[in-house]
Amino acid sequence: EAGVTQFPSHSVIEKGQTVTLRCDPISGHDNLYWYRRVMGKEIKFLLHFVKESKQDESGMPNNRFLAERTGGTYSTLKVQPAELEDSGVYFCASSPPGQGGFYEQYFGPGTRLTVT
Amino acid sequence: EDQVTQSPEALRLQEGESSSLNCSYTVSGLRGLFWYRQDPGKGPEFLFTLYSAGEEKEKERLKATLTKKESFLHITAPKPEDSATYLCAVQARWSARQLTFGSGTQLTVLP
């Protein structure tokens, strides 16, 4: 079974440019999450999709970040315009469907974003 | 606000030298505590989930335990391939499913 995949693995852009990160979750996983680690700090939650709906976007830092999950499959995270403080590693994770209870989240390898 | 504190930040062990990593947490109602392993350049790899105080889980040389305030990851007779950063995360009852992570313990096992 394929794991969570992310593309690109590394992106270097200039301040003010736009970048789009992509995540493909494990097949059959309705839940998809975005996290990021900046400046060597802890991994921080950004948002959570259930299928194509945003369940929780309380961690999104500001309106320069836009996440979508059309069709409930893969997801994209767009940063526009990028700022220096957006540099870091962006992780995507997924978990199986189900109400009540909870499941472990399986993480992708991450996208390292460098804004210069 | 939920908080997770891991100690030590870094730990160097000789092969075969057993030790424990600590994860202290403050959460408004714990739904679950997760341990992950992260190798350089890779994403966190799931190890264990603990749900309630007193619970223990084992996998090869690793054993995770949980109390009402902290969790321990015991490493018995470690090998160099156990070298990695070990992350602890909690999920609160109030949250949808978001995880709150600690900063991790970087473990190095010397041959």
Side-chain angles (χ1 to χ4, degrees):
Chain A
E1 179 183 277
V4 176
T5 57
Q6 293 187 244
F7 182 84
S9 58
H10 194 181
S11 179
V12 181
I13 62 172
E14 293 183 353
K15 177 182 173 181
Q17 290 186 325
T18 297
V19 64
T20 300
L21 313 181
R22 173 171 169 144
C23 168
D24 286 80
I26 293 172
S27 178
H29 282 195
D30 286 353
N31 295 282
L32 186 149
Y33 315 81
W34 284 98
Y35 293 83
R36 74 172 181 176
R37 170 183 272 161
V38 297
M39 297 291 289
K41 295 189 176 180
E42 301 87 10
I43 296 173
K44 295 283 191 182
F45 169 82
L46 295 178
L47 87 160
H48 168 208
F49 283 100
V50 178
K51 296 185 180 180
E52 65 275 8
S53 300
K54 292 176 184 176
Q55 179 77 14
D56 178 0
E57 52 184 331
S58 60
M60 294 288 266
N62 52 60
N63 58 11
R64 295 186 293 104
F65 289 75
L66 175 64
E68 295 181 324
R69 192 182 183 194
T70 305
T73 54
Y74 71 91
S75 174
T76 58
L77 179 65
K78 179 187 289 187
V79 185
Q80 180 183 29
E83 298 289 345
L84 297 178
E85 62 263 27
D86 299 332
S87 295
V89 182
Y90 291 76
F91 293 105
C92 176
S94 71
S95 66
Q99 305 226 348
F102 63 101
Y103 299 92
E104 55 268 17
Q105 298 175 17
Y106 296 91
F107 283 76
T111 292
R112 180 173 295 277
L113 174 65
T114 303
V115 183
T116 62
Chain B
E1 182 178 330
D2 302 336
Q3 285 192 324
V4 179
T5 302
Q6 292 189 246
S7 63
E9 290 185 8
L11 180 63
R12 291 167 67 92
L13 300 173
Q14 289 295 134
E15 184 172 1
E17 180 186 1
S18 300
S19 187
S20 295
L21 312 182
N22 177 264
C23 171
S24 298
Y25 64 90
T26 304
V27 63
S28 53
L30 179 71
R31 177 181 280 170
L33 184 142
F34 300 79
W35 281 98
Y36 285 85
R37 167 189 171 130
Q38 186 173 22
D39 293 296
K42 297 188 177 182
E45 175 189 347
F46 171 75
L47 293 173
F48 304 108
T49 308
L50 300 167
Y51 300 94
S52 57
E55 188 175 3
E56 299 181 352
K57 288 195 176 174
E58 291 187 60
K59 179 180 180 180
E60 296 181 352
R61 295 177 292 282
L62 300 177
K63 179 180 177 180
T65 62
L66 181 66
T67 73
K68 289 185 177 181
K69 293 183 178 181
E70 57 192 351
S71 176
F72 293 93
L73 184 64
H74 308 278
I75 304 177
T76 302
K79 298 181 178 181
E81 53 262 43
D82 294 323
S83 298
T85 296
Y86 289 86
L87 299 168
C88 173
V90 297
Q91 189 179 68
R93 291 188 193 281
W94 62 264
S95 73
R97 290 195 184 187
Q98 65 170 278
L99 298 179
T100 300
F101 279 88
S103 55
T105 293
Q106 185 174 5
L107 174 67
T108 303
V109 181
L110 304 171

